Amino acid sequence: KDYVKKVLPKGKNIIAVSYGIGECYYRFTNKIINVDSFGVSAKKDDVLDYFSLTKEKLCEQILELIKEDLDE
């Protein structure tokens, strides 16, 4: 627990990005960008785009999550 507190300090925005099962991150944050489906087959860049996990789309999603915090 000390390690978790050191790495994930209270009062900070914690956003998890997962390409697999993201449920395990709910004990640390409710801000999770996750792919919880399977079976898509294509080139890596096409799959990342399909799931909105390109650098650009991830940045947009993360900024939106941070903005939601500021609006509260």
Side-chain angles (χ1 to χ4, degrees), residues 3-25:
Y3 174 76
V4 172
K5 287 179 184 177
K6 183 178 177 182
V7 176
L8 304 172
K10 281 195 178 248
K12 301 290 182 182
N13 274 310
I14 298 170
I15 301 169
V17 177
S18 174
Y19 293 103
I21 300 170
E23 294 171 6
C24 60
Y25 296 106

Side-chain angles (χ1 to χ4, degrees), residues 2 6 13 16 19 23-25 27 29 32 36 44 47-49 53-54 56 58 61 63 68:
D2 291 335
K6 183 178 177 182
N13 274 310
Y19 293 103
E23 294 171 6
C24 60
Y25 296 106
R27 62 186 172 158
T29 183
I32 299 172
D36 59 358
K44 177 189 77 165
V47 172
L48 293 176
D49 187 52
L53 294 173
T54 61
E56 296 79 15
L58 275 174
Q61 292 178 75
L63 289 172
E68 288 173 8

